[in-house]
Amino acid sequence: MTAPAAAQPATNIQEPQLPEVISESVEDTTSQARSVRQHWTPERIKMALANPLKAPANNHSGDDIPAETPGATNLPEITASAEAVLPKNQDAQAVAHAAKAAAVPKAKDVAAPQAWPNRVVGKLLFQVPGQGDASCSATVIASKTKNAVWTAAHCLHKGSGGAKGFHKGFIFLPGYHEDTYPSGYWYHKRVIVPDTWAKSGDLRSSDMGALVMASGEPAYGNLQDEVGAWGYKFTTATDHADVHSLGYPSDGYGRPAKAFNYGSTMMYCRGKTIDAGNLNPLDNRLRLTCDMGHGSSGGPMAAAYGTGKPQIVGVNSHRDADKNGKWTKPYMYSSNHGKTAVAVIDLVNKG
C-alpha cells in the first residue's frame, strides 16, 4: 500500500502591486468643449499665463518620510518605458537637437521652441476653485490614447480632499511661445493623479499626473500625431548623467524675473540628476541644479534629449525654501518616477 504524499508547505508569494490612483472624467464632452470656449477668452488666457501656480516647497526633514509596506523592499521593481513618437508631418518640420555643451544650471531660452522635440512641451492652464485661473508647464507623453499630457500632480490637484481636490477646466497649448500656440488648444477629458497625492500631497513619490486631452479645433486630429510625444523611462533610478529640464518659468532662484522673460518663453536647464536623499533609502527624489521657478512646475526632466527622442524620467516639482517661502538653494526636485508613475501611465493607457 502506497503511503500518501507528504503535504507541501504553503507558499506565500507576494506579487508586486501598483499604487492606487484616482481620476475624474468629463461626462459630456460636447458640453465640456462649449464650457472651455466660453471660459477661456483671450483675456482669461492672458491672466492665467501671468499667474503661474505656486509650487510646493521642499518640506522633507528626512524623519517624516513614511515607511514602505512591510516586505515591499523584497518585491521586484515595477518599471515602464516607451520610446518617443515623432509627429506625422515630421519630414516637413525643422528638428531641434541639443547643442553639445556643458551643464546649464542657470536657465536659458530654448532656441527653437516650436520645432521637434520642443513643440511637445507647452503651457497648461486651469482653474483653481476659489482662487482663479493659473498656469503650469506640461509635456505630451507617448500613450495608447495618443492624447496624453504629463505634468506635476500639484498642477492638477490641491494635494488634499481626495476626489474633491481636482482643479478644473484644463487647456493645453503645445509649443507656446510669446502668446502664440501654432497647434491650437486642447481641453481635458480625464485627469489622473496618485491617491497618495490626493490625500496628503506626498512630494517624495507622488507629484506627477496626467491628462487625456481632446482638440478644441477638430482639424488637428489627435495630439500625438499633431506635435509628437516624448517617451518615458519610469524606474526607481535617481542618477542620470545628462538630463534636460524644460518649462516656462516666470521667475527663479537668485535672478530677477526679467531674466526669465516673465514666463513668456520656453527655457531649459541641463545637468545630471542625483539622489536627493542620498542618506535616506526611502527618499529617492531626483535633484537637478537648476534655477527655474514658478511656472516651470510640471515641465519635463528628460534623458536622451540630445538624440532627438527624449524620455521623461521626472517632472519639475519643488524647491528648497525657508519658513517664509523664500528659496534657499539652487536645486530643482522631482518626485521619484518609479511604481507610482507606472500606475498613472498604466491607467492612461487603459483609456
Side-chain angles (χ1 to χ4, degrees), residues 109-169:
D109 283 349
V110 170
Q114 294 175 346
W116 172 266
N118 304 318
R119 62 184 297 189
V120 166
V121 181
K123 287 268 197 177
L124 181 68
L125 313 185
F126 46 91
Q127 304 163 48
V128 180
Q131 298 183 35
D133 300 328
S135 62
C136 277
S137 302
T139 312
V140 185
I141 190 170
S143 73
K144 292 180 180 179
T145 71
K146 296 187 176 182
N147 285 294
V149 170
W150 197 259
T151 188
H154 74 261
C155 298
L156 306 176
H157 188 285
K158 68 179 183 178
S160 63
K164 296 181 179 180
F166 285 104
H167 304 328
K168 307 295 180 183

Side-chain angles (χ1 to χ4, degrees), residues 10 47 74 155 237 240 258 276 279-280 283 287 296-297 333 345:
M47 289 176 63
N74 297 322
C155 298
H240 300 278
K258 64 181 181 181
L279 300 178
N280 189 330
D283 183 2
R287 193 186 86 185
S296 63
S297 286
Y333 295 93
I345 198 66

Side-chain angles (χ1 to χ4, degrees), residues 12-269:
N12 184 17
I13 300 175
Q14 191 176 9
E15 294 293 334
Q17 293 183 339
L18 289 174
E20 294 291 327
V21 296
I22 70 169
S23 68
E24 183 176 81
S25 298
V26 172
E27 298 296 333
D28 185 340
T29 55
T30 301
S31 175
Q32 170 76 348
R34 186 185 309 115
S35 176
V36 165
R37 285 193 296 269
Q38 290 174 347
H39 180 84
W40 290 110
T41 62
E43 293 75 19
R44 281 204 175 105
I45 288 176
K46 286 185 178 180
M47 289 176 63
L49 292 172
N51 185 33
L53 187 69
K54 184 177 180 181
N58 181 19
N59 56 8
H60 286 304
S61 67
D63 298 328
D64 59 348
I65 296 175
E68 296 281 356
T69 303
T73 55
N74 297 322
L75 297 178
E77 183 181 357
I78 301 174
T79 65
S81 64
E83 296 296 322
V85 180
L86 274 65
K88 279 193 171 181
N89 62 347
Q90 178 56 42
D91 290 343
Q93 300 294 330
V95 178
H97 291 292
K100 292 183 178 179
V104 180
K106 292 186 176 182
K108 295 181 180 180
D109 283 349
V110 170
Q114 294 175 346
W116 172 266
N118 304 318
R119 62 184 297 189
V120 166
V121 181
K123 287 268 197 177
L124 181 68
L125 313 185
F126 46 91
Q127 304 163 48
V128 180
Q131 298 183 35
D133 300 328
S135 62
C136 277
S137 302
T139 312
V140 185
I141 190 170
S143 73
K144 292 180 180 179
T145 71
K146 296 187 176 182
N147 285 294
V149 170
W150 197 259
T151 188
H154 74 261
C155 298
L156 306 176
H157 188 285
K158 68 179 183 178
S160 63
K164 296 181 179 180
F166 285 104
H167 304 328
K168 307 295 180 183
F170 300 93
I171 62 169
F172 178 61
L173 312 177
Y176 175 88
H177 179 71
E178 294 183 337
D179 294 330
T180 66
Y181 33 103
S183 296
Y185 73 91
W186 302 72
Y187 66 90
H188 90 282
K189 295 169 60 178
R190 190 176 193 185
V191 54
I192 302 166
V193 298
D195 186 61
T196 44
W197 176 266
K199 289 179 178 177
S200 63
D202 165 45
L203 291 174
R204 178 176 61 94
S205 61
S206 301
D207 192 12
M208 80 286 291
L211 297 138
V212 178
M213 314 301 291
S215 177
E217 302 170 48
Y220 286 116
N222 69 65
L223 186 53
Q224 193 164 290
D225 285 345
E226 171 63 20
V227 302
W230 285 12
Y232 54 88
K233 196 170 187 178
F234 295 158
T235 72
T236 56
T238 57
D239 295 2
H240 300 278
D242 188 9
V243 164
H244 282 70
S245 167
L246 278 69
Y248 293 88
S250 62
D251 55 22
Y253 175 83
R255 288 198 284 169
K258 64 181 181 181
F260 298 89
N261 307 311
Y262 302 99
S264 66
T265 59
M266 190 186 303
M267 302 185 78
Y268 79 99
C269 289

Side-chain angles (χ1 to χ4, degrees), residues 54-55 57-58 252-255 294 319-330:
K54 184 177 180 181
N58 181 19
Y253 175 83
R255 288 198 284 169
H294 298 105
R319 303 187 61 91
D320 290 305
D322 62 21
K323 62 181 180 180
N324 297 315
K326 184 178 179 180
W327 294 323
T328 58
K329 296 177 184 177

